[in-house]
PDB file of all heavy atoms in Angstrom:
ATOM      1  N   ALA A 310      -8.803  51.611  25.793  1.00 93.00           N
ATOM      2  CA  ALA A 310     -10.267  51.264  25.579  1.00 93.00           C
ATOM      3  C   ALA A 310     -10.830  50.624  26.857  1.00 93.00           C
ATOM      4  O   ALA A 310     -11.935  50.913  27.280  1.00 93.00           O
ATOM      5  CB  ALA A 310     -10.452  50.376  24.485  1.00 93.00           C
ATOM      6  N   ARG A 311     -10.008  49.807  27.559  1.00 93.00           N
ATOM      7  CA  ARG A 311     -10.525  49.151  28.779  1.00 93.00           C
ATOM      8  C   ARG A 311     -10.727  50.184  29.877  1.00 93.00           C
ATOM      9  O   ARG A 311     -11.549  50.008  30.709  1.00 93.00           O
ATOM     10  CB  ARG A 311      -9.520  48.072  29.214  1.00 93.00           C
ATOM     11  CG  ARG A 311      -9.661  46.799  28.412  1.00 93.00           C
ATOM     12  CD  ARG A 311      -8.632  45.732  28.822  1.00 93.00           C
ATOM     13  NE  ARG A 311      -8.883  44.504  28.056  1.00 93.00           N
ATOM     14  CZ  ARG A 311      -8.015  43.517  28.108  1.00 93.00           C
ATOM     15  NH1 ARG A 311      -6.912  43.542  28.800  1.00 93.00           N
ATOM     16  NH2 ARG A 311      -8.223  42.372  27.364  1.00 93.00           N
ATOM     17  N   ASP A 312      -9.807  51.196  29.920  1.00 93.00           N
ATOM     18  CA  ASP A 312      -9.986  52.288  30.882  1.00 93.00           C
ATOM     19  C   ASP A 312     -11.363  52.988  30.611  1.00 93.00           C
ATOM     20  O   ASP A 312     -11.931  53.400  31.606  1.00 93.00           O
ATOM     21  CB  ASP A 312      -8.893  53.314  30.781  1.00 93.00           C
ATOM     22  CG  ASP A 312      -7.534  52.752  31.206  1.00 93.00           C
ATOM     23  OD1 ASP A 312      -7.549  51.755  31.911  1.00 93.00           O
ATOM     24  OD2 ASP A 312      -6.514  53.388  30.840  1.00 93.00           O
ATOM     25  N   ARG A 313     -11.816  53.008  29.430  1.00 94.00           N
ATOM     26  CA  ARG A 313     -13.087  53.708  29.125  1.00 94.00           C
ATOM     27  C   ARG A 313     -14.247  52.835  29.272  1.00 94.00           C
ATOM     28  O   ARG A 313     -15.292  53.237  29.806  1.00 94.00           O
ATOM     29  CB  ARG A 313     -12.942  54.260  27.697  1.00 94.00           C
ATOM     30  CG  ARG A 313     -14.248  55.008  27.180  1.00 94.00           C
ATOM     31  CD  ARG A 313     -14.557  56.201  28.014  1.00 94.00           C
ATOM     32  NE  ARG A 313     -15.664  56.942  27.489  1.00 94.00           N
ATOM     33  CZ  ARG A 313     -16.272  57.928  28.124  1.00 94.00           C
ATOM     34  NH1 ARG A 313     -15.902  58.269  29.323  1.00 94.00           N
ATOM     35  NH2 ARG A 313     -17.284  58.576  27.532  1.00 94.00           N
ATOM     36  N   VAL A 314     -14.252  51.580  28.742  1.00 93.00           N
ATOM     37  CA  VAL A 314     -15.425  50.725  28.738  1.00 93.00           C
ATOM     38  C   VAL A 314     -15.305  49.409  29.407  1.00 93.00           C
ATOM     39  O   VAL A 314     -16.177  48.558  29.348  1.00 93.00           O
ATOM     40  CB  VAL A 314     -15.912  50.530  27.224  1.00 93.00           C
ATOM     41  CG1 VAL A 314     -16.225  51.828  26.530  1.00 93.00           C
ATOM     42  CG2 VAL A 314     -14.823  49.774  26.430  1.00 93.00           C
ATOM     43  N   GLY A 315     -14.180  49.179  30.087  1.00 89.00           N
ATOM     44  CA  GLY A 315     -14.052  47.943  30.822  1.00 89.00           C
ATOM     45  C   GLY A 315     -13.458  46.742  30.073  1.00 89.00           C
ATOM     46  O   GLY A 315     -12.997  46.881  28.982  1.00 89.00           O
ATOM     47  N   HIS A 316     -13.507  45.614  30.679  1.00 85.00           N
ATOM     48  CA  HIS A 316     -12.894  44.443  30.165  1.00 85.00           C
ATOM     49  C   HIS A 316     -13.668  43.686  29.042  1.00 85.00           C
ATOM     50  O   HIS A 316     -13.389  42.558  28.704  1.00 85.00           O
ATOM     51  CB  HIS A 316     -12.543  43.432  31.247  1.00 85.00           C
ATOM     52  CG  HIS A 316     -11.382  43.893  32.100  1.00 85.00           C
ATOM     53  ND1 HIS A 316     -10.148  43.911  31.681  1.00 85.00           N
ATOM     54  CD2 HIS A 316     -11.402  44.304  33.359  1.00 85.00           C
ATOM     55  CE1 HIS A 316      -9.362  44.408  32.622  1.00 85.00           C
ATOM     56  NE2 HIS A 316     -10.119  44.598  33.736  1.00 85.00           N
ATOM     57  N   ARG A 317     -14.651  44.419  28.466  1.00 88.00           N
ATOM     58  CA  ARG A 317     -15.281  43.743  27.295  1.00 88.00           C
ATOM     59  C   ARG A 317     -14.533  44.046  26.050  1.00 88.00           C
ATOM     60  O   ARG A 317     -14.907  43.690  24.928  1.00 88.00           O
ATOM     61  CB  ARG A 317     -16.720  44.379  27.093  1.00 88.00           C
ATOM     62  CG  ARG A 317     -16.806  45.850  27.095  1.00 88.00           C
ATOM     63  CD  ARG A 317     -18.294  46.288  27.381  1.00 88.00           C
ATOM     64  NE  ARG A 317     -18.511  47.709  27.251  1.00 88.00           N
ATOM     65  CZ  ARG A 317     -19.065  48.338  26.198  1.00 88.00           C
ATOM     66  NH1 ARG A 317     -19.466  47.646  25.227  1.00 88.00           N
ATOM     67  NH2 ARG A 317     -19.204  49.647  26.223  1.00 88.00           N
ATOM     68  N   VAL A 318     -13.278  44.682  26.236  1.00 89.00           N
ATOM     69  CA  VAL A 318     -12.464  44.866  25.107  1.00 89.00           C
ATOM     70  C   VAL A 318     -11.463  43.694  25.040  1.00 89.00           C
ATOM     71  O   VAL A 318     -10.885  43.351  25.972  1.00 89.00           O
ATOM     72  CB  VAL A 318     -11.618  46.191  25.340  1.00 89.00           C
ATOM     73  CG1 VAL A 318     -10.628  46.350  24.216  1.00 89.00           C
ATOM     74  CG2 VAL A 318     -12.521  47.395  25.447  1.00 89.00           C
ATOM     75  N   VAL A 319     -11.418  43.082  23.854  1.00 86.00           N
ATOM     76  CA  VAL A 319     -10.559  41.921  23.653  1.00 86.00           C
ATOM     77  C   VAL A 319      -9.724  42.165  22.305  1.00 86.00           C
ATOM     78  O   VAL A 319     -10.240  42.700  21.359  1.00 86.00           O
ATOM     79  CB  VAL A 319     -11.413  40.654  23.432  1.00 86.00           C
ATOM     80  CG1 VAL A 319     -10.491  39.436  23.427  1.00 86.00           C
ATOM     81  CG2 VAL A 319     -12.396  40.486  24.592  1.00 86.00           C
ATOM     82  N   TYR A 320      -8.457  41.710  22.408  1.00 81.00           N
ATOM     83  CA  TYR A 320      -7.643  41.857  21.210  1.00 81.00           C
ATOM     84  C   TYR A 320      -6.949  40.515  20.945  1.00 81.00           C
ATOM     85  O   TYR A 320      -6.841  39.560  21.731  1.00 81.00           O
ATOM     86  CB  TYR A 320      -6.631  42.920  21.299  1.00 81.00           C
ATOM     87  CG  TYR A 320      -5.338  42.656  21.938  1.00 81.00           C
ATOM     88  CD1 TYR A 320      -4.174  42.877  21.205  1.00 81.00           C
ATOM     89  CD2 TYR A 320      -5.215  41.993  23.190  1.00 81.00           C
ATOM     90  CE1 TYR A 320      -2.913  42.566  21.703  1.00 81.00           C
ATOM     91  CE2 TYR A 320      -3.977  41.657  23.665  1.00 81.00           C
ATOM     92  CZ  TYR A 320      -2.798  42.010  22.927  1.00 81.00           C
ATOM     93  OH  TYR A 320      -1.610  41.634  23.476  1.00 81.00           O
ATOM     94  N   GLN A 321      -6.564  40.349  19.690  1.00 75.00           N
ATOM     95  CA  GLN A 321      -5.929  39.121  19.203  1.00 75.00           C
ATOM     96  C   GLN A 321      -6.746  37.888  19.529  1.00 75.00           C
ATOM     97  O   GLN A 321      -6.214  36.899  20.125  1.00 75.00           O
ATOM     98  CB  GLN A 321      -4.493  39.010  19.670  1.00 75.00           C
ATOM     99  CG  GLN A 321      -3.510  40.098  19.148  1.00 75.00           C
ATOM    100  CD  GLN A 321      -2.086  39.789  19.589  1.00 75.00           C
ATOM    101  OE1 GLN A 321      -1.797  39.075  20.517  1.00 75.00           O
ATOM    102  NE2 GLN A 321      -1.184  40.443  18.828  1.00 75.00           N
ATOM    103  N   THR A 322      -8.000  37.943  19.136  1.00 79.00           N
ATOM    104  CA  THR A 322      -8.831  36.825  19.366  1.00 79.00           C
ATOM    105  C   THR A 322      -9.681  36.520  18.130  1.00 79.00           C
ATOM    106  O   THR A 322      -9.836  37.433  17.266  1.00 79.00           O
ATOM    107  CB  THR A 322      -9.806  37.041  20.606  1.00 79.00           C
ATOM    108  OG1 THR A 322     -10.438  35.843  20.874  1.00 79.00           O
ATOM    109  CG2 THR A 322     -10.806  38.144  20.279  1.00 79.00           C
ATOM    110  N   GLY A 323     -10.205  35.312  17.960  1.00 81.00           N
ATOM    111  CA  GLY A 323     -10.991  35.020  16.848  1.00 81.00           C
ATOM    112  C   GLY A 323     -12.471  35.303  17.080  1.00 81.00           C
ATOM    113  O   GLY A 323     -12.929  35.258  18.239  1.00 81.00           O
ATOM    114  N   TYR A 324     -13.196  35.525  16.083  1.00 85.00           N
ATOM    115  CA  TYR A 324     -14.629  35.635  16.162  1.00 85.00           C
ATOM    116  C   TYR A 324     -15.314  34.780  15.150  1.00 85.00           C
ATOM    117  O   TYR A 324     -15.018  34.900  13.930  1.00 85.00           O
ATOM    118  CB  TYR A 324     -15.131  37.099  15.979  1.00 85.00           C
ATOM    119  CG  TYR A 324     -16.640  37.229  16.206  1.00 85.00           C
ATOM    120  CD1 TYR A 324     -17.121  37.308  17.529  1.00 85.00           C
ATOM    121  CD2 TYR A 324     -17.499  37.253  15.136  1.00 85.00           C
ATOM    122  CE1 TYR A 324     -18.469  37.432  17.713  1.00 85.00           C
ATOM    123  CE2 TYR A 324     -18.873  37.380  15.313  1.00 85.00           C
ATOM    124  CZ  TYR A 324     -19.351  37.418  16.613  1.00 85.00           C
ATOM    125  OH  TYR A 324     -20.687  37.505  16.805  1.00 85.00           O
ATOM    126  N   VAL A 325     -16.180  33.870  15.537  1.00 86.00           N
ATOM    127  CA  VAL A 325     -16.810  32.907  14.660  1.00 86.00           C
ATOM    128  C   VAL A 325     -18.314  33.241  14.482  1.00 86.00           C
ATOM    129  O   VAL A 325     -18.992  33.579  15.494  1.00 86.00           O
ATOM    130  CB  VAL A 325     -16.727  31.448  15.295  1.00 86.00           C
ATOM    131  CG1 VAL A 325     -17.385  30.473  14.303  1.00 86.00           C
ATOM    132  CG2 VAL A 325     -15.323  31.120  15.526  1.00 86.00           C
TER     133      VAL A 325
END
Side-chain angles (χ1 to χ4, degrees):
R311 284 177 176 171
D312 290 343
R313 177 63 175 168
V314 299
H316 287 293
R317 55 196 182 104
V318 178
V319 186
Y320 90 125
Q321 291 190 344
T322 189
Y324 183 79
V325 182

